[in-house]
Amino acid sequence: MSTIKGARERARIEVTAAIKDEARKQLAAEGAAKLSLRAVARELGMVSSALYRYFPSRDDLLTALIVDAYDAVGEVAEAAGVKGEARPGPDAARWTAVACAVRDWALAHPHEYALIYGSPVPGYTAPQDTVGPASRVGLVLIGLVRDAHRAEGLAVPALDHGLRSEAARLAADLAPDLPPAVVAALVAAWAQLFGLISFELFGQFNRVVEAREQLFRHAVHELGRSVGLMEGRVPTGSGGPGA
């Protein structure tokens, strides 16, 4: 009985993978808004009723693709952000490594990137299942800034008085162990990182920026400085007025 059950589980995994692979082809050809379960079933030689046993609706299939995409970019960010013997350099270098890994993934997987960071899909509302995977890149950035803070390698940026209450709320929600000024700067840097990638991927840099990797690296370095990352250690108590 266990052998039969195992074979069925393997078959289900294989069919699920085939469905998602075909759906990704449709994303590349038609875009997420035109994703169709019937079209996927037709291309796989399945009847629609059989496919519905794997994904009851288009939204269920979209959610699976979205989770996969967030997990994929999250994995490359986590690998790039690992601190240890393989990456003994300063946290600023890890920041750049993570950002470049995310950009490389986006350029290699433009349709998956567009699915999670492009225009919303009409009629689709992402469920709670997507929140954890969507947080992975942000958590990597928070983690390496936290490492710098613990190692006294973080210069706390200034914080506008009008932003203090919002910064405190963000810190309480996202990273209570970091200064609110740092967390506010992190949220801004996170948004700007994906703005840079989206501008490159979606054509806004066409006929404007030619040395795109160089511009990206420079901008990412400045984003690291904006959150307080230093190239080396700074003395205790050197934080700015936002401390």
Side-chain angles (χ1 to χ4, degrees):
M1 182 65 70
S2 60
T3 301
I4 295 174
K5 183 179 179 181
R8 287 175 177 171
E9 289 176 350
R10 288 194 297 274
R12 185 173 183 85
I13 291 171
E14 291 173 0
V15 174
T16 299
I19 291 170
K20 291 195 286 188
D21 286 345
E22 179 56 38
R24 292 187 187 98
K25 292 178 184 178
Q26 284 198 21
L27 289 180
E30 303 288 345
K34 294 185 177 180
L35 181 63
S36 164
L37 290 183
R38 290 183 180 275
V40 171
R42 182 172 59 251
E43 290 298 321
L44 292 175
M46 299 173 64
V47 295
S48 299
S49 58
L51 190 146
Y52 292 143
R53 291 199 293 269
Y54 294 86
F55 296 100
S57 70
R58 180 208 68 158
D59 285 5
D60 290 305
L61 179 53
L62 269 176
T63 296
L65 298 176
I66 288 168
V67 168
D68 283 354
Y70 276 132
D71 279 338
V73 68
E75 285 176 11
V76 301
E78 289 161 1
V82 169
K83 185 173 185 178
E85 294 182 1
R87 287 185 177 83
D91 295 300
R94 292 168 60 211
W95 173 275
T96 299
V98 169
C100 289
V102 172
R103 174 180 177 267
D104 289 345
W105 181 88
L107 293 177
H109 304 87
H111 303 293
E112 287 94 331
Y113 180 90
L115 178 63
I116 54 178
Y117 293 113
S119 299
V121 180
Y124 174 79
T125 300
Q128 190 70 20
D129 295 354
T130 62
V131 173
S135 303
R136 290 177 68 170
V137 173
L139 290 175
V140 172
L141 298 178
I142 290 172
L144 64 87
V145 171
R146 180 180 287 119
D147 288 344
H149 183 54
R150 289 172 176 170
E152 301 176 4
L154 195 68
V156 179
L159 180 65
D160 184 86
H161 180 75
L163 190 59
R164 287 183 183 272
S165 61
E166 176 64 9
R169 186 193 66 79
L170 288 169
D173 287 346
L174 302 174
D177 56 331
L178 291 178
V182 171
V183 178
L186 259 171
V187 171
W190 167 69
Q192 291 174 76
L193 168 62
F194 286 101
L196 285 165
I197 295 172
S198 295
F199 261 49
E200 179 175 3
L201 204 62
F202 300 147
Q204 280 85 356
F205 281 162
N206 290 350
R207 298 189 296 276
V208 178
V209 179
E210 294 183 359
R212 296 176 184 176
E213 181 174 357
Q214 291 87 338
L215 175 66
F216 182 82
R217 285 181 170 273
H218 170 76
V220 164
H221 178 75
E222 293 304 309
L223 290 177
R225 288 169 57 91
S226 76
V227 303
L229 289 176
M230 309 290 289
E231 292 298 335
R233 293 170 63 87
V234 296
T236 303
S238 65

